[in-house]
Amino acid sequence: MDKAIILITGAGSGIGKLSAQALARAGHTVYATMRDIAGRNAARAAAARDWARQHGADLRPLELDVLSQDSCDAAVAAVVAEQGRLDVVVQNAGHLVVGPTEAFTAEEVAKVLDTNFLGAQRVLRAALPRLRAQESGLLLWISSTTTKGGFPPFLGPYGAAKAAMDSLAVSLSYEVSRFGIETAIMVPGAFTRGTEHFPSAGKPADAGRIAAYARYDGVLDQVGERLDALTPPEADPQAVADELVRIVGLPRGRRPFRTVVDFVGDGAREVLEVSEAVRVDFARRIGIADLLVPAAPTV
């Protein structure tokens, strides 16, 4: 793809920020969206503008709160008003929570789903009418190896939300292919360094239920230490951003459906090889092979 007009959610930090910068350095026009850019994220928005000036890149902070349909609609409308089109939507926004699954109230779990899953649906409802009208576009999803690989305890609501988003992406890929809209799913592994993922993680408010799991004290720290030990020095979330640039730059019809970027080896790559083969085979058996992404899955 030549110069693309790209909207990426959750671009204030972590993989979203790195991806927005990498895509802009590659010559694309990137709308780095985040919520409350006039308030709590004003410094991040200003830093993004400064970075764009310093690097001569077209990176534009834009207000978008995935918890609000009106905000999603307004962000897409602003991009289209300025550019006349929208080529790529990167579904990256999300929030990690950690703690005993029992300790989360249903309302707290609903908030996790609202950000990590329903937020993506709001962005879809804002963007898909434009992509369908164009009969072109790329939906690029940031999933997680937690949906298929081995993952530690105390990530229950987060893992459930990521799995829901991943399933949505797969089902939707069939539903939009006849409109000329492609789907690519990026599957990052665990990164113990280079993001604010774990330091900014949310926790359940029910201190009593948390205390009931005292016999597990130290387990999550132990898992983190082991993950850190398993992570090679070259493991850097920048690798996800660089792979995103590569996928966006590929010609239409040549993009892999899934790409795993994992330095730890939690088994997701192997599981996905099997599940993708099964998915493709079943699609052919039920007569919808024409709805599959043209390129063979690459994991």
Side-chain angles (χ1 to χ4, degrees):
M1 181 181 289
D2 295 328
K3 178 180 177 180
I5 309 302
I6 301 173
L7 181 149
I8 178 167
T9 64
S13 63
I15 287 173
K17 176 182 176 181
L18 292 172
S19 298
Q21 291 177 344
L23 288 163
R25 276 197 304 267
H28 303 296
T29 295
V30 181
Y31 287 84
T33 75
M34 58 195 84
R35 60 180 176 176
D36 198 15
I37 62 174
R40 59 176 290 190
N41 280 322
R44 287 177 171 173
R49 294 187 192 96
D50 290 342
W51 181 92
R53 283 192 293 270
Q54 291 166 9
H55 292 81
D58 198 354
L59 178 67
R60 311 182 187 197
L62 179 66
E63 174 76 27
L64 190 155
D65 182 354
V66 297
L67 301 181
S68 164
Q69 188 65 60
D70 287 344
S71 179
C72 295
D73 292 343
V76 170
V79 173
V80 174
E82 289 183 5
Q83 304 294 336
R85 72 182 202 271
L86 174 60
D87 300 313
V88 181
V89 177
V90 182
Q91 295 269 27
N92 170 74
H95 181 57
L96 176 67
V97 295
V98 297
T101 299
E102 180 191 341
F104 290 92
T105 65
E107 291 75 19
E108 287 174 326
V109 174
K111 288 180 179 178
V112 178
L113 288 166
D114 204 6
T115 299
N116 292 279
F117 174 57
L118 297 179
Q121 176 68 6
R122 294 186 186 99
V123 173
L124 285 175
R125 285 181 56 81
L128 277 178
R130 167 55 54 178
L131 301 185
R132 285 190 289 102
Q134 295 172 176
E135 297 203 357
S136 68
L138 171 63
L139 298 176
L140 215 166
W141 303 77
I142 308 300
S143 184
S144 168
T145 58
T146 59
T147 65
K148 288 294 190 292
F151 67 97
F154 304 118
L155 298 177
Y158 174 77
K162 275 296 187 181
M165 190 203 78
D166 190 285
S167 294
L168 182 73
V170 173
S171 182
L172 186 72
S173 70
Y174 299 120
E175 300 167 19
V176 298
S177 65
R178 287 183 179 171
F179 294 102
I181 301 169
E182 291 187 290
T183 296
I185 304 174
M186 176 69 67
V187 189
F191 288 94
T192 58
R193 301 181 291 273
T195 75
E196 299 174 16
H197 217 35
F198 279 93
S200 63
K203 295 178 175 58
D206 191 336
R209 297 290 177 107
I210 294 173
Y213 283 79
R215 67 187 62 185
Y216 285 91
D217 285 354
V219 168
L220 195 57
D221 291 336
Q222 175 188 333
V223 169
E225 291 169 4
R226 288 296 302 142
L227 279 174
D228 199 45
L230 289 169
T231 303
E234 68 271 17
D236 189 324
Q238 182 64 46
V240 179
D242 293 342
E243 189 63 13
L244 228 66
V245 173
R246 186 188 74 83
I247 290 171
V248 169
L250 289 172
R252 178 171 170 163
R254 297 289 302 278
R255 298 183 176 105
F257 186 68
R258 279 192 190 273
T259 304
V260 178
V261 180
D262 174 35
F263 292 89
V264 174
D266 64 5
R269 188 185 308 275
E270 292 78 8
V271 173
L272 284 168
E273 286 178 354
V274 175
S275 67
E276 286 302 310
V278 170
R279 183 182 72 86
V280 169
D281 179 65
F282 186 67
R284 288 171 177 153
R285 287 166 56 201
I286 62 175
I288 59 169
D290 65 305
L291 305 183
L292 291 166
V293 172
T298 299
V299 296

